[in-house]
């Protein structure tokens, strides 16, 4: 019997509150996933700093990204993550190539961070925290009665509060990235910009996944316990959710 595939990224938080140990390494794709995520960026900044040759840097980075996908296909492993990474790297490389400026390799990252800031901020304004929406959707995968599904976790105040906190924290991370990296972009310090991008990429992602898990694990566990109690006593009124 094959072992079930482990969830990564935000999907890994859907298992919060269960008895099994939470692995940050598994949540960010394992050692191989970390290497594959960081390698194109490392090669890009290192090669450009050493050679100052944008054309060579773009070609080598592109070949490396393609090879990662090919290797996964040869080994008959899932290439979805590598392919999505290839798409993102491809956009960055094309942007740098077309503009003839190495610093524009990082422009797509700025736009995605800004997009997440706006999206998460709107979710807090409408009082439906986006991180909660994502985790609960993965955790329960509603196929019908969407309103009841939404009310189920939004009306659980401790759980909603936890989701609100981690959503605000993620906004802070995306904002910090822009505050640090945009000035480096504007002053055309590609080496420092690439270094900052790497340090604030996977390491920050892993840290926020771990912090998010610590914050939501107990509220999710309590939420699941309420549902279990209600299912064991179908003839009685559903237990009242805690308000604090």
């Amino acid at each position: 019997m094959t072992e079930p595939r482990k969830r990564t990224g935000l999907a890994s938080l859907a298992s919060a509150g269960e008895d099994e140990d939470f692995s940050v390494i598994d949540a960010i794709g394992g050692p191989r996933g970390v290497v594959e995520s960081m390698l194109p960026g490392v090669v890009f900044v290192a090669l450009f700093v050493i050679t100052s040759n944008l054309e060579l840097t773009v070609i080598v980075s592109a070949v490396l990204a393609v090879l990662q996908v090919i290797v996964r296909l040869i080994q008959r492993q899932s290439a979805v993550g590598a392919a999505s990474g290839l798409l993102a790297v491809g956009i960055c490389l094309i942007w740098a190539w077309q503009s003839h400026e190495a610093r524009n390799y990082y422009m797509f990252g700025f736009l995605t961070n800004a997009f997440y800031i706006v999206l998460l901020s709107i979710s807090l304004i409408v009082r439906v925290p986006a991180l909660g929406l994502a985790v609960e959707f993965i955790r329960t995968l509603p196929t019908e009665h969407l309103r009841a599904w939404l009310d189920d976790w939004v009306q659980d105040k401790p759980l909603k509060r936890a989701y609100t906190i981690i959503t605000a924290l993620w906004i802070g991370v995306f904002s910090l990235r822009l505050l640090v990296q945009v000035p480096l972009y504007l002053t055309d310090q590609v080496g420092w910009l690439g270094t900052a991008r790497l340090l604030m990429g996977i390491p920050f992602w892993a840290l926020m996944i771990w912090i998010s898990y610590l914050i939501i694990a107990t509220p999710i566990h309590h939420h699941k316990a309420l549902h279990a109690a209600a299912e064991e006593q179908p003839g009685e009124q559903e237990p009242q959710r805690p308000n604090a």
Side-chain angles (χ1 to χ4, degrees), residues 16 22 43 91 123 182 203 235 244:
F22 181 80
V43 170
I91 293 173
S123 76
V182 170

Side-chain angles (χ1 to χ4, degrees), residues 34-50:
V34 172
V35 171
E36 289 182 344
S37 297
M38 298 187 68
L39 193 55
V42 171
V43 170
F44 182 90
V45 68
L47 196 55
F48 182 77
V49 168
I50 293 171

Side-chain angles (χ1 to χ4, degrees), residues 6 130 201 240 242:
K6 294 178 180 178
Q240 186 177 0

Side-chain angles (χ1 to χ4, degrees), residues 8-209:
T8 60
L10 292 179
S12 65
L13 297 178
S15 62
E18 297 178 359
D19 293 333
E20 63 182 35
D21 292 334
F22 181 80
S23 170
V24 176
I25 294 298
D26 289 339
I28 60 177
R32 179 172 183 169
V34 172
V35 171
E36 289 182 344
S37 297
M38 298 187 68
L39 193 55
V42 171
V43 170
F44 182 90
V45 68
L47 196 55
F48 182 77
V49 168
I50 293 171
T51 67
S52 298
N53 188 325
L54 177 59
E55 186 172 312
L56 175 64
T57 301
V58 169
I59 292 173
V60 172
S61 299
V63 170
L64 176 62
V66 172
L67 284 176
Q68 288 180 339
V69 177
I70 293 175
V71 169
R72 278 195 173 271
L73 291 175
I74 292 175
Q75 296 178 341
R76 296 183 179 181
Q77 296 182 357
S78 173
V80 176
S84 61
L86 174 62
L87 177 61
V89 170
I91 293 173
C92 295
L93 292 174
I94 291 172
W95 205 320
W97 181 284
Q98 291 294 325
S99 65
H100 304 289
E101 290 194 56
R103 64 177 179 170
N104 283 334
Y105 175 82
Y106 303 100
M107 179 59 74
F108 182 66
F110 296 154
L111 295 178
T112 54
N113 277 276
F115 172 77
Y116 289 138
I117 291 171
V118 172
L119 182 66
L120 298 183
S121 297
I122 291 174
S123 76
L124 292 184
I125 292 173
V126 300
R127 298 184 179 182
V128 182
L131 268 295
L133 197 65
V135 173
E136 287 295 323
F137 185 87
I138 295 168
R139 190 172 72 82
T140 57
L141 195 62
T143 56
E144 56 183 7
H145 308 303
L146 292 178
R147 186 64 198 183
W149 167 82
L150 183 65
D151 289 342
D152 177 62
W153 64 270
V154 169
Q155 292 179 5
D156 186 332
K157 291 187 177 181
L159 182 58
K160 181 184 176 183
R161 185 182 303 115
Y163 284 142
T164 299
I165 291 172
I166 66 171
T167 300
L169 288 176
W170 280 90
I171 291 174
V173 168
F174 294 132
S175 300
L176 182 60
R177 285 177 175 173
L178 294 181
L179 286 173
V180 171
Q181 297 172 27
V182 170
L184 296 174
Y185 171 86
L186 295 175
T187 54
D188 201 17
Q189 299 184 56
V190 177
W192 286 111
L193 175 56
T195 302
R197 174 73 173 269
L198 291 170
L199 293 177
M200 303 180 80
I202 291 294
F204 270 41
W205 175 258
L207 178 62
M208 287 308 302
I209 288 288

